[in-house]
Amino acid sequence: MRYDDHPPTIKANIPTGSAGENAAGELVVRPGSVVHLDCIFYRKLGNPRWTWKKINNLTRSHPFGWALAREERLWRFRVSIFSIQARDEGEFTCTTPRGQTNSIRIVVQTIQCPLPPVIESPLIAVIEGNHAGQKAVYSCLDGFRLIGSNFSECLTSGAWSENKQPFCELIQCPYDMDGADPRLEFDFLNGVGYQAMVKFSCPPGYQLIGPTNATCQSSMNWFPSPPSCQVVECAELLPPLNGRIKESGSNHFVGDVVKFSCNRNFQLLGQSEISCMENGTWSFSAPQCQMFCSNPTSPASGYKIVPQKANYEVGANIQVLCDSGLKLQGRKWLTCQQDGSWSASIGICMNNF
């Protein structure tokens, strides 16, 4: 059987305007639309022929011929109806060189959809009209979110593409946050509505790990996710060289106090007690234990030491002075050495004769 022994296929293309098929199978076109009717037929087998029967006595001629585009001109024999009007209604028939036919019936009609319901705040609608192809676009005032479709179109069937009008829901974020640290504290600065802010904090002895605040989003969720509270712990301390820490464990939390002491013949340089603070640092640096020299003594009398102290730091110098009329036998200056001894023995003050 030859290709052209079958009725041709007709395809409608509406580059401008709108159209649709009704229950009777007719092509219902909005006035002013541009309609291209293509008779699908292989050009090398000859030229088909377009004819049309008018519904009324008004007539208008329409251009026809093979399509111009390269990918269409071998298969599409086209009749074009520009700015279609009611007088263009009728039955359009394509007939092949071997007499096979196919037809399409065109009805020109202004299709109207029912007017949308009255729009009330906080719903906002931008409505082009209620003719086929015209649209309604919906949105909400700030602080509300749209429930339903934000778009509806008047179809050629005379119905809107969305049969339910959307509505606006008040945006409110929850007062509790799923999965949040139970120790986390919340301060809702301006309620829980859209763009409201919550500030996070932790109880004493804990530090905040993560964001310090969050904002209520249109999704009715807080963003970013809540932080956590981590117990504050100060770094472990080692006993000073030639000293020790009194009653100290390996973990130190806020408020813990650590006491230091030194071995015999050593003195403490720094604070004897330091405490763990809320920021996780110690109130003072750990002290050191340093060797000291004791005040030199002698059974002889008639001298004095400057300066006069009970103990002296390593490197300290003292001066030995004799009373009037006495002369020092020994070194005038002594230095406290690293091992806690003086650089020389203290001298003797003797009569000067």
Side-chain angles (χ1 to χ4, degrees), residues 95-237:
T95 305
T96 68
R98 291 178 63 86
Q100 297 289 340
T101 64
N102 194 5
S103 300
I104 183 171
R105 186 175 177 84
I106 293 180
V107 176
V108 180
Q109 189 177 70
T110 300
I111 301 170
Q112 287 185 312
C113 292
L115 288 173
V118 176
I119 305 300
E120 296 182 357
S121 182
L123 184 64
I124 301 172
V126 178
I127 302 174
E128 295 177 352
N130 66 330
H131 292 171
Q134 293 183 314
K135 304 175 182 64
V137 180
Y138 299 94
S139 60
C140 293
L141 294 174
D142 286 345
F144 296 83
R145 68 172 182 171
L146 192 72
I147 305 300
S149 176
N150 68 337
F151 171 87
S152 189
E153 181 179 5
C154 180
L155 304 176
T156 54
S157 62
W160 291 97
S161 59
E162 299 295 330
N163 57 12
K164 287 186 178 181
Q165 188 183 78
F167 64 93
C168 296
E169 181 183 36
L170 179 66
I171 296 174
Q172 284 192 309
C173 289
Y175 279 98
D176 57 335
M177 301 185 186
D178 292 339
D181 191 320
R183 294 164 295 194
L184 191 64
E185 297 175 351
F186 304 90
D187 182 12
F188 297 94
L189 302 182
N190 47 0
V192 292
Y194 180 59
Q195 293 296 313
M197 183 176 291
V198 57
K199 186 177 181 181
F200 303 114
S201 59
C202 293
Y206 293 85
Q207 62 179 343
L208 199 70
I209 306 299
T212 58
N213 55 64
T215 303
C216 180
Q217 307 296 308
S218 59
S219 61
M220 293 191 175
N221 292 311
W222 295 99
F223 182 83
S225 299
S228 59
C229 292
Q230 180 176 299
V231 63
V232 177
E233 187 174 356
C234 290
E236 183 180 359
L237 294 171

Side-chain angles (χ1 to χ4, degrees), residues 234-245:
C234 290
E236 183 180 359
L237 294 171
L238 297 176
L241 186 64
N242 298 308
R244 59 190 178 277
I245 298 176

